[in-house]
Each structure stands twice: as structure tokens, then as C-alpha cells.
């Protein structure tokens, strides 16, 4: 484990920001840090960045207790990010890189490469106020990853980018992972979570309420429901289902073509469902399993959790 | 490179490279010179001709004037300017007195005419000569400037004196001798040797005090200007959110100190340039003004001339300026300059961190400015009334005002070494204290958004555990 958080507790004078949060993250993976606004994500990120310290609990990087020397191994792209408006971007990027401990020489060499790669090579002497938002975002991304940190913390890295540049950033993130970086991705964009995250943790009201591999979580949250397209009539289809199945939703495309959403109850399998339908001479066109999206899982977990908190 | 020095470097370079800085550095001394010149010019009364209508119920205007115009000084004037009309008296070619041959009431009517040519009406009531506490009246359309007013009243008094002397048979020379006043020169006892001779040419303390006061004003200006720059810098970093990035690489204290030191160096740079440029400006301009500003040249100037009074005053001032304790003054200036700036800029940084925009800073800025202003005002007042009194002592010990007040005392040489050392020690300790407090507010404040901060809130931040 490259990163471990053990029983982190943090409270400000009038509220608890993190309550007994533990996480562990494998090396060279992308870890989604999810949660509604105000759940405690930023507090956790600030603790990892050593901007604040936890009240109790500890953070381990490669098994070592988090200490100031780790600052140079961490790259942080905050959600609310900015640059000095009046400063030239090249000079500014050099400054930020040197603050992360890079030598002037290395910083310059790496920056030139990245500027080239992001096609902003001739922007070196421009001031930030002359750049579009997307341009500034590119510069910020570069300054975050420039010093080749082992751990990258990206808070909403895609916001403000057009789809083309968002893809560019996405592929750079994947490349950084291949090169050995471990990436924390904090985002509300569930699409990108599904696309690139290996594992996630969901924090709600200062507590971790869910974590694990994305694929496992999706499996866990699948409701054993299938979408069945068929030819015939809906009454016949409904009659074919026994008590072991529940017809959740009906949809007719025209007189003959229909779609039914079926939930399989008990220990029955898809095979059982199909054989019952076939026995009743239902003409099947296609069958798909309904897999919940991360967005649906997010909403469900958070709502259930809030409901639970309210009851207590 | 050390991270704090990186920050200092950035803060310094970005500011020094700004056009506004270069402009202000180059134009500063010129602007100052122009500003003072403008004030002097505006305050200087214009030499104008005034038409004055006189209602004279006495014999002052005829007999009295006649008498004083007989004196040495008046003769010169009268030789150049013959009386054109019987009733007109020209004095130094500027004041034209026209004696009205009518009553006060009709003279007023004449004076108030819209196209009337008179600027003033002087009314000399009949009992003016006998009763000393009586007053003449000066009726004006536009209030007279004070030299004109003085000229008129001294002419009237001179004429009255002359008239009375004539009447009572007093000898002019005797009277002048009696009337002469003696002066009083304060001399510090430690400036005299055992036999009572002055040891060295020491500065006259009031002039010295004003020289010190000049330094105080520079310190206050510096603190206000560059303290505000620190505050604006902090607000800038906070509002454009770059602070979030920086703070993940550097400790808040390092950022704050880097900024304070960087901006302070900018101030020193500007100050240094101003001194050099002013020096150049003075050397270049002085010959054009036809002034030899060396004290020897001043002293050599004729002392019989009417203007010698003014010049001897000037040369005394220059001598005082040359005999100021420059070495202790400049070294303590630097110490108080830095101490004061460091003390206040930490507070400015804290204010910048606590607010979301510059518009919210007002309520916090006022208390920071009050001690500085108070120091200036109280010091100015004390120098005039009680230069070595308790107010000066305490203000030069209290760290919030000592950078402003102590230099005046050092310039006056009315301070013991232990007092200076104690004051510097207190200043240094307080500087450490305000930096500590400032850093704590700063640390919490820079990451706090959208909250209307109160003093109560700030005190809470100071008490937060780190």
C-alpha cells in the first residue's frame, strides 16, 4: 500500500469534518474520492497535503508516517485553483516548480516538454490574464504533475475543459498511472469515475460509507434486473412470469414490439427466467442486465445514509 | 534555493518590475519637490496693488503718515514715488490710501458700489489716538491676506506712535532703545563646558525636532504604503486561489514572512533610489537657483541688509541640519523603520488573510492606523509644548508609536542610550508577538472563504491549536 489513512478524526470548533476515516490505496492505481459537497473530502485532502493536521489518527506513505519530506512526493491540483494574473506563465510555472523542490534547470527542461505536449509552447511569456480559462487550467495541471510526484491529488481536474482537452487530460492521467503514479481523483463527475477509477471511497457526513473496487461495488449494487425486448403481447409475457419474477416496468414500442424490465427474485437465475419465457413461446429479441451507474449508486448510498443519520 | 527566499525573490521581483513602481521611484522625488513648491507658491501672497479708502476721524493719515514718511525707511520710498494727488498716500507702491472727505456712512456707500475701485475701507475712529484699546476697522470685499493686513495695521500703529511721540515730546532714539526686546536662547547644559562656553555647534532642538519629525513622517508613510501592499498581496493570493496551490508546498508562516520581507525590500529599494535621485536633483538644481547652500557662504552674507534676517534664519537652520546627530539618527532610523514595518506588516498580512476582498478591510484597518496617527499628532504637539515631557517618553516606549516618536527624541538629543535600547527591545519583542498573532490569523484566514470575519472570530483563530 502506498497510502494508508488510519482512523482519521478531524473537527473544527463547531463541526466534525472527518470521523474515523480509514483508507488504503494501492500503488499505481486511480482512487476515486467521492462524496457530496461538505462531506469532508477537502478536509481529508488538506490533511494529506499537510495544510492541516488530523486531531487523531495517522497517515502512512509507503508505510512511513506522513512528514514534511513527503511534500515533494505529492502533487495537488485544488478544485478552486488560480494563478497570479499579472505574472508570465513560464515564470510562474518555474516558481511553483521550485517551491516543490525542483532545481531551476530541471524545472525548465520539464516545463518546455510539457508546454510542447500541451501545445502552449509559445505562451511562455504571456500573462495569465491574457489566457482563456482552459489555457490556465492546462498550466495548473502541468505545475501539479511537473515534479513527478508519487501521489497526485486531483480535485475536479476536468472542470473548465472542453471535451477535447478533457480527453487530453484524461489520457495524461492514465499515462501518469502507467508511469507509476498513484492518483486520487476527487470529482462529482461519475462518468469519469467509471471510466478511469480502479477503486473508490464514498464519504458522507464526515464518515466513510462505502469503499472498494469499482467493478465489485457495481456488482454489489446490481439489483438482478434485466431488460427483455420481445415480440408478441405484454399480457402473454406477464403470464409467463411466475411469482419468482417481478415485472418492474413495461414499455411498448408498437403493437408487437415491447420491452419489459424484470427483477429476478430469490435464488433464480437469468437462465431460469429465459427458460420460462421460452417455454411460453415468447419471441425474445435481446436481453440486457441492468447495471447501476456510479451516479445511481452514489445517490442511493448517500440518501440511505442520510435517512439513517436522521433516524439516529 | 530555500523556499522562503524563493518567495521573497518573487515578491520582490514582481513588484520592482511593475511599471507603477519604476514610475513612482523615478518621479517620486520630482513629485515631492513639485508638491512642496506648489504649496509654497500657493501659500505665498501675491504682490498686488490695493486701493484703500480711508475714513479718518483722526489726524493719523495726514500728520501721522507725514511723520513716519519722514523716517529713514520712508524717505527711500517717497523719493521714488511722489504724491500724485493731495489726498493720496502711496506706501511702497503697493498700498494706495485715498482719504475720503466724507462721513463713514457715505464712504461705505462709495465702497459698496458695484464698480467701486476700492479693495478695502479703513475706518479710523476719532478716539483711536487716545484710547489704546480701541480698534480701527478694515472693511473688505475679499478677505485680506495676512501680510497686507499686517502692513496696514503696522503703518497705522507707526503713524500713531510717531504722532504721540511728537505730541508728548518723546525722543525717537530713546524710545526705540526702550522698545527693543531681548530674546531667549535655550541651551542644553551638557552642551556647555565648565566655564560655560558651548562645546560644539549643537543643533537648536526645535529645528532638530522638526528634522526628526520628517523622519517620523517617512516611517509612517512607509508603513502605511507597504503595509497595504502586503495586505493587497495576501488578498490577491486568497481571491485568485493560488494560495491553495502554494500552501501545499510551503508553510503559511513562510509565505507570510516571504511576502513581508519581499515587500519590505521593495520599500527599501524605493527609498534608496529616492535618496540618490534627490541628491542628484539637489546638486543639479541648486546652481540654477543661484543659491550657495554651504553654511560658510551663508554666514558670509551681509548682515546689514534688510534680508539678512531671513538669511541668517536660513543659515542657522542649515547649520542645525549639519550639526544633527546624523550617525545615530540614520542608524536608529533604519532600526525603527524596519521594526515598525515588520510589526505593522504582520498585522496587515493578518487582515488580508481574514477578509475576502479589500472592501471588507476598513473596520480592521482603522485600529491599525490610529496609533501611527496618534504618534504623529501627539509628538508634534509635545515638541511645541513640552519636548522632554512624559508624553514623549511614553510614546517612544510604546512599540506601536515608538518608531514614530523616538527619532524625534534622538534628533533633539534628549534621550539616554538605555531608553533607546529599551525601546528597541520592546519593539523587537512586540514584533515577534504581532508576527506570532498575525501568523495564526493568517494560517486560518487564508483558507476560509465566504465568511464575514469579526474580531471575535479572529481571537478564536489565534487560540486554535496548531
Amino acid at each position: 500500500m502506498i497510502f494508508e489513512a488510519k482512523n482519521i478524526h478531524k473537527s473544527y470548533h463547531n463541526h466534525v469534518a472527518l470521523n474515523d476515516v480509514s483508507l488504503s490505496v494501492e500503488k499505481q492505481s486511480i482512487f476515486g474520492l467521492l462524496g457530496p459537497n461538505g462531506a469532508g473530502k477537502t478536509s481529508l485532502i488538506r490533511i494529506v497535503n499537510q495544510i492541516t493536521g488530523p486531531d487523531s489518527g495517522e497517515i502512512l506513505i509507503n508505510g512511513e508516517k506522513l512528514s514534511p519530506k513527503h511534500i515533494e512526493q505529492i502533487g495537488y491540483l485544488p478544485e478552486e485553483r488560480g494563478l497570479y494574473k499579472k505574472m508570465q506563465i513560464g515564470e510562474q510555472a518555474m516558481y511553483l516548480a521550485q517551491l516543490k523542490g525542483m532545481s531551476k534547470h530541471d524545472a525548465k527542461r520539464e516545463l518546455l516538454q510539457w508546454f510542447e505536449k500541451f501545445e502552449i509552447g509559445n505562451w511562455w511569456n504571456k500573462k495569465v490574464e491574457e489566457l482563456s480559462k482552459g489555457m490556465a487550467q492546462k498550466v495548473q495541471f502541468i505545475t501539479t504533475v511537473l515534479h513527478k510526484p508519487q501521489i497526485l491529488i486531483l480535485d475536479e481536474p476536468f472542470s473548465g475543459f472542453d471535451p477535447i482537452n478533457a480527453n487530453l487530460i484524461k489520457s495524461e492521467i492514465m499515462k501518469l498511472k502507467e508511469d507509476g503514479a498513484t492518483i486520487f481523483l476527487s470529482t462529482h463527475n461519475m462518468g469519469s469515475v467509471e471510466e478511469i477509477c480502479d477503486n473508490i471511497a464514498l464519504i458522507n457526513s464526515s464518515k466513510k460509507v462505502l469503499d472498494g473496487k469499482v467493478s465489485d461495488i457495481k456488482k454489489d449494487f446490481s439489483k438482478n434486473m434485466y431488460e427483455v425486448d420481445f415480440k408478441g403481447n405484454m399480457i402473454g409475457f406477464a403470464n409467463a412470469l411466475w411469482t419468482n419474477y417481478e415485472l418492474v416496468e413495461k414499455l411498448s414500442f408498437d403493437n408487437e414490439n415491447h420491452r419489459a424490465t424484470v427483477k429476478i427474485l430469490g435464488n433464480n437465475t437469468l437462465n431460469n427466467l429465459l427458460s420460462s419465457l421460452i417455454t411460453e413461446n415468447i419471441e425474445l429479441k435481446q436481453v440486457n442486465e441492468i447495471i447501476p451507474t456510479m451516479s445511481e449508486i452514489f445517490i442511493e448510498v448517500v440518501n440511505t445514509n442520510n435517512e439513517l443519520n436522521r433516524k439516529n | 534555493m530555500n523556499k522562503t527566499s524563493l518567495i521573497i525573490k518573487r515578491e520582490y521581483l514582481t513588484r520592482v518590475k511593475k511599471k507603477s513602481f519604476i514610475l513612482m521611484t523615478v518621479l517620486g522625488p520630482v513629485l515631492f519637490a513639485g508638491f512642496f513648491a506648489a504649496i509654497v507658491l500657493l501659500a505665498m501672497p501675491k504682490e498686488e496693488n490695493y486701493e484703500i479708502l480711508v475714513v479718518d476721524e483722526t489726524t493719523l493719515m495726514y500728520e501721522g503718515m507725514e511723520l513716519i514718511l519722514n523716517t529713514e525707511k520712508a524717505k527711500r520710498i517717497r523719493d521714488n514715488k511722489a504724491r500724485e494727488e493731495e489726498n493720496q498716500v502711496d506706501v511702497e507702491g503697493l498700498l494706495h490710501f485715498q482719504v475720503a472727505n466724507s462721513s463713514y456712512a457715505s464712504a461705505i456707500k462709495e465702497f459698496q458700489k458695484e464698480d467701486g475701485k476700492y479693495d478695502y475701507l479703513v475706518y479710523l475712529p476719532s478716539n483711536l489716538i487716545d484710547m489704546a484699546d480701541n480698534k480701527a476697522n478694515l472693511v473688505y470685499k475679499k478677505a485680506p491676506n495676512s501680510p497686507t493686513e499686517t502692513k496696514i495695521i503696522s503703518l497705522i500703529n507707526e503713524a500713531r506712535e510717531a504722532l504721540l511721540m511728537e505730541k508728548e515730546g518723546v525722543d525717537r532714539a530713546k524710545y526705540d532703545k526702550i522698545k527693543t526686546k531681548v530674546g531667549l536662547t535655550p541651551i542644553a547644559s551638557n552642551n556647555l563646558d565648565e566655564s560655560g562656553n558651548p562645546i560644539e555647534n549643537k543643533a537648536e532642538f526645535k529645528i532638530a525636532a522638526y528634522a526628526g519629525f520628517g523622519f517620523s513622517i517617512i516611517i509612517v508613510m512607509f508603513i502605511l504604503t507597504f503595509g497595504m501592499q502586503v495586505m493587497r498581496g495576501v488578498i490577491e493570493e486568497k481571491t485568485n486561489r493560488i494560495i491553495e496551490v502554494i500552501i501545499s508546498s510551503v508553510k503559511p508562516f513562510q509565505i507570510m514572512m516571504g511576502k513581508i520581507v519581499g515587500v519590505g525590500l521593495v520599500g527599501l529599494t524605493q527609498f534608496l533610489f529616492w535618496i540618490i535621485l534627490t541628491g542628484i536633483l539637489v546638486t543639479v538644481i541648486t546652481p540654477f537657483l543661484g543659491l550657495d547652500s554651504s553654511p560658510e557662504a551663508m554666514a558670509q552674507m551681509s548682515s546689514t541688509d534688510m534680508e539678512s534676517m531671513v538669511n541668517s534664519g536660513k543659515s542657522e537652520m542649515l547649520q542645525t541640519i549639519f550639526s544633527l546627530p546624523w550617525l545615530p539618527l540614520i542608524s536608529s532610523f533604519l532600526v525603527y523603520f524596519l521594526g515598525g514595518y515588520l510589526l505593522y506588516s504582520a498585522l496587515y498580512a493578518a487582515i488580508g488573510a481574514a477578509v475576502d476582498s479589500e472592501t471588507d478591510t476598513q473596520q480592521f484597518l482603522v485600529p491599525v492606523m490610529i496609533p501611527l496617527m496618534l504618534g504623529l499628532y501627539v509628538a508634534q504637539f509635545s515638541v511645541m509644548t513640552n519636548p522632554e515631557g512624559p508624553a514623549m517618553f511614553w510614546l517612544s516606549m510604546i512599540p506601536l508609536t515608538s518608531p514614530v516618536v523616538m527619532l524625534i527624541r534622538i534628533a533633539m538629543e534628549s534621550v539616554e542610550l538605555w531608553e533607546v535600547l529599551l525601546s528597541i527591545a520592546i519593539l523587537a519583542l512586540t514584533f515577534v508577538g504581532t508576527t506570532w498573532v498575525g501568523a495564526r490569523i493568517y494560517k486560518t484566514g487564508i483558507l476560509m472563504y465566504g465568511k464575514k470575519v469579526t474580531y471575535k472570530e479572529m481571537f478564536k483563530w489565534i487560540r486554535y491549536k496548531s
Side-chain angles (χ1 to χ4, degrees):
Chain A
M1 289 295 155
I2 187 167
F3 176 93
E4 274 175 283
K6 288 184 177 166
N7 312 100
I8 299 292
H9 194 99
K10 174 82 185 173
S11 61
Y12 295 103
H13 62 112
N14 50 8
H15 81 283
V16 179
L18 292 169
N19 189 356
D20 200 25
V21 172
S22 299
L23 296 174
S24 48
V25 180
E26 292 165 28
K27 193 171 163 55
Q28 222 175 344
S29 68
I30 299 180
F31 188 86
L33 190 59
L34 315 181
N37 297 321
K41 295 185 305 261
T42 308
S43 294
L44 181 62
I45 289 174
R46 283 185 176 165
I47 289 171
V48 179
N49 276 306
Q50 302 178 60
I51 296 171
T52 52
D55 295 341
S56 62
E58 60 177 358
I59 303 245
L60 304 176
I61 306 278
N62 283 326
E64 268 180 73
K65 208 164 183 277
L66 186 70
S67 68
K69 71 164 189 185
H70 291 116
I71 284 177
E72 289 167 13
Q73 298 166 17
I74 297 176
Y76 173 38
L77 183 71
E79 180 182 6
E80 297 279 3
R81 47 192 177 254
L83 295 164
Y84 292 109
K85 288 197 180 68
K86 306 266 179 204
M87 225 175 154
Q88 293 174 351
I89 60 169
E91 197 185 1
Q92 183 150 199
M94 288 288 292
Y95 173 62
L96 294 172
Q98 283 173 280
L99 282 186
K100 276 288 185 190
M102 284 182 92
S103 75
K104 211 168 179 174
H105 180 79
D106 288 352
K108 180 100 182 188
R109 194 192 58 227
E110 291 290 318
L111 272 174
L112 286 175
Q113 279 178 15
W114 277 98
F115 272 46
E116 199 61 34
K117 193 191 281 182
F118 276 23
E119 294 168 347
I120 52 173
N122 47 1
W123 289 79
W124 186 275
N125 289 326
K126 292 258 190 220
K127 284 185 182 164
V128 173
E129 57 190 355
E130 301 168 48
L131 303 187
S132 70
K133 191 182 174 197
M135 290 285 184
Q137 299 270 61
K138 279 186 183 175
V139 177
Q140 282 153 347
F141 183 80
I142 292 172
T143 57
T144 309
V145 303
L146 192 74
H147 59 290
K148 300 199 173 77
Q150 286 188 35
I151 295 175
L152 267 174
I153 302 171
L154 308 176
D155 201 345
E156 294 294 356
F158 307 114
S159 78
F161 280 117
D162 60 49
I164 295 169
N165 280 318
N167 264 334
L168 175 71
I169 297 293
K170 208 172 279 173
S171 66
E172 284 306 327
I173 294 175
M174 299 306 284
K175 221 176 283 170
L176 286 162
K177 175 188 157 188
E178 278 165 34
D179 293 345
T182 308
I183 295 148
F184 283 80
L185 183 68
S186 168
T187 180
H188 293 309
N189 179 344
M190 294 302 143
S192 56
V193 172
E194 281 182 63
E195 241 178 289
I196 63 176
C197 285
D198 303 304
N199 301 285
I200 61 129
L202 178 58
I203 294 176
N204 186 43
S205 313
S206 75
K207 277 186 188 146
K208 185 180 78 180
V209 288
L210 177 72
D211 68 343
K213 252 187 148 73
V214 172
S215 50
D216 290 349
I217 288 173
K218 291 186 96 166
K219 211 174 286 164
D220 289 349
F221 278 79
S222 79
K223 299 276 169 29
N224 217 3
M225 288 210 285
Y226 295 86
E227 227 170 46
V228 185
D229 288 8
F230 62 94
K231 212 166 172 180
N233 69 58
M234 198 46 98
I235 301 168
F237 184 88
N239 288 339
L241 298 175
W242 298 85
T243 46
N244 293 334
Y245 312 102
E246 186 189 332
L247 184 57
V248 182
E249 215 182 320
K250 299 178 279 192
L251 177 72
S252 299
F253 299 110
D254 53 42
N255 279 341
E256 292 207 310
N257 294 299
H258 309 280
R259 171 176 291 172
T261 307
V262 180
K263 187 174 170 123
I264 301 175
L265 304 172
N267 292 327
N268 291 296
T269 60
L270 177 61
N271 277 2
N272 298 138
L273 171 67
L274 292 182
S275 60
S276 342
L277 292 174
I278 290 162
T279 333
E280 293 297 319
N281 286 325
I282 305 289
E283 192 183 340
L284 295 173
K285 307 280 269 188
Q286 81 178 20
V287 178
N288 291 316
E289 184 178 7
I290 298 178
I291 299 167
T293 61
M294 278 313 293
S295 178
E296 286 163 334
I297 296 171
F298 182 101
I299 293 169
E300 189 186 326
V301 172
V302 170
N303 282 343
T304 325
N305 188 251
N306 286 346
E307 198 68 35
L308 213 71
N309 288 342
R310 217 168 294 134
K311 273 179 196 156
N312 294 337
Chain B
M1 204 191 271
N2 173 318
K3 285 178 185 175
T4 312
S5 54
L6 267 174
I7 295 170
I8 294 173
K9 195 176 136 203
R10 194 204 80 86
E11 297 291 342
Y12 181 78
L13 287 180
T14 51
R15 283 185 173 76
V16 168
K17 278 197 260 172
K18 266 189 199 162
K19 282 196 195 86
S20 57
F21 174 83
I22 297 169
L23 209 67
M24 201 51 211
T25 305
V26 175
L27 289 184
V30 181
L31 282 177
F32 274 131
F35 186 63
F36 282 115
I39 287 180
V40 170
L41 279 179
L42 286 175
M44 212 142 64
K46 271 188 229 132
E47 299 272 304
E48 270 183 62
N49 286 303
Y50 292 106
E51 297 294 334
I52 302 165
L53 186 61
V54 184
V55 180
D56 188 8
E57 294 175 358
T58 65
T59 52
L60 275 177
M61 279 321 280
Y62 291 119
E63 294 169 27
M65 283 293 173
E66 193 67 36
L67 281 168
I68 60 163
L69 292 179
N70 274 329
T71 62
E72 283 283 321
K73 184 180 118 199
K75 208 178 255 167
R76 263 207 334 254
I77 301 159
R78 205 173 45 171
D79 290 345
N80 296 336
K81 298 249 177 225
R83 285 212 264 166
E84 285 164 351
E85 276 177 56
E86 197 194 344
N87 285 347
Q88 191 166 325
V89 185
D90 275 11
V91 178
E92 296 179 25
L94 294 172
L95 304 177
H96 306 289
F97 291 96
Q98 177 71 49
V99 180
N101 289 319
S102 51
S103 68
Y104 178 57
S106 52
I108 285 282
K109 204 178 278 171
E110 166 74 20
F111 181 71
Q112 284 174 334
K113 266 191 200 162
E114 245 174 62
D115 56 344
K117 66 167 184 169
Y118 297 108
D119 298 298
Y120 308 120
L121 183 146
V122 173
Y123 174 52
L124 308 170
S126 59
N127 55 2
L128 197 63
I129 292 181
D130 299 325
M131 296 187 40
D133 60 346
N134 224 321
K135 279 183 174 173
N137 289 344
L138 178 74
V139 184
Y140 61 84
K141 287 170 183 160
K142 245 173 80 184
N145 57 42
S146 69
T148 307
E149 203 183 316
T150 314
K151 225 180 244 174
I152 292 172
I153 194 60
S154 59
L155 272 171
I156 292 170
N157 274 315
E158 260 184 79
R160 181 175 172 270
E161 254 175 39
L163 206 62
L164 280 172
M165 270 193 276
E166 171 106 338
K167 207 167 136 191
E168 308 288 341
V170 178
D171 179 53
R172 173 100 221 169
K174 280 184 189 160
Y175 175 74
D176 283 348
K177 197 176 164 189
I178 295 168
K179 219 176 75 170
T180 315
K181 282 177 182 156
V182 295
L184 179 70
T185 313
I187 304 167
S189 82
N190 60 10
N191 193 28
L192 295 176
D193 62 18
E194 280 169 13
S195 50
N197 299 317
I199 298 167
E200 55 185 301
N201 200 3
K202 269 211 178 168
E204 205 265 303
F205 80 89
K206 274 199 180 155
I207 300 176
Y210 282 109
F213 199 69
F215 283 117
S216 304
I217 290 176
I218 292 174
I219 288 187
V220 170
M221 267 175 45
F222 186 89
I223 291 174
L224 291 181
T225 313
F226 292 96
M228 284 298 277
Q229 282 210 21
V230 169
M231 188 187 83
R232 288 213 189 91
V234 174
I235 294 177
E236 185 206 354
E237 280 172 354
K238 189 178 169 181
T239 48
N240 73 17
R241 312 278 175 144
I242 190 158
I243 194 69
E244 300 255 348
V245 180
I246 295 177
I247 209 167
S248 64
S249 332
V250 207
K251 285 204 185 78
F253 186 73
Q254 288 175 299
I255 307 173
M256 189 179 101
M257 283 320 288
K259 189 173 286 295
I260 287 174
V261 174
V263 173
L265 289 176
V266 173
L268 281 177
T269 308
Q270 189 160 63
F271 189 65
L272 197 73
F273 269 99
W274 280 358
I275 287 176
I276 294 169
L277 286 175
T278 311
I280 294 171
L281 220 60
V282 168
T283 1
V284 169
I285 283 179
T286 317
F288 283 105
L289 295 178
L291 279 177
D292 189 347
S293 54
S294 72
E296 294 81 17
M298 282 287 173
Q300 275 167 13
M301 278 187 134
S302 114
S303 54
T304 50
D305 200 89
M306 256 289 283
E307 289 170 341
S308 69
M309 278 291 287
V310 183
N311 279 332
S312 74
K314 259 187 205 162
S315 103
E316 191 185 324
M317 192 142 97
L318 278 171
Q319 263 171 14
T320 298
I321 287 172
F322 278 105
S323 57
L324 281 174
W326 281 107
L327 192 68
L329 204 52
I330 287 183
S331 46
S332 55
F333 172 73
L334 283 175
V335 171
Y336 282 102
F337 193 71
L338 289 177
Y341 166 73
L342 290 173
L343 187 157
Y344 277 98
S345 58
L347 297 178
Y348 275 106
I351 294 172
V355 299
D356 279 346
S357 74
E358 214 178 317
T359 44
D360 298 336
T361 57
Q362 211 51 46
Q363 56 159 331
F364 301 115
L365 281 180
V366 173
V368 175
M369 276 168 71
I370 282 175
L372 290 173
M373 293 299 142
L374 198 77
L376 274 185
Y377 288 130
V378 176
Q380 194 183 17
F381 183 72
S382 304
V383 164
M384 286 189 294
T385 56
N386 191 4
E388 301 201 38
M392 291 297 273
F393 174 79
W394 288 109
L395 285 181
S396 66
M397 286 299 153
I398 295 167
L400 291 173
T401 52
S402 65
V404 184
V405 175
M406 188 51 106
L407 285 161
I408 302 174
R409 299 189 65 201
I410 292 173
M412 291 194 301
E413 294 179 84
S414 74
V415 63
E416 301 282 332
L417 184 64
W418 70 265
E419 291 179 298
V420 179
L421 293 180
L422 178 62
S423 152
I424 290 175
I426 296 173
L427 183 63
L429 276 179
T430 317
F431 152 58
V432 172
T434 55
T435 309
W436 184 82
V437 168
R440 298 192 74 102
I441 296 176
Y442 180 88
K443 198 172 88 179
T444 313
I446 41 169
L447 295 171
M448 198 81 80
Y449 293 101
K451 212 172 186 183
K452 195 90 182 156
V453 177
T454 57
Y455 280 107
K456 201 176 147 200
E457 192 80 23
M458 280 217 242
F459 281 120
K460 254 184 215 158
W461 295 356
I462 296 169
R463 292 202 313 265
Y464 274 175
K465 51 189 182 291
S466 37

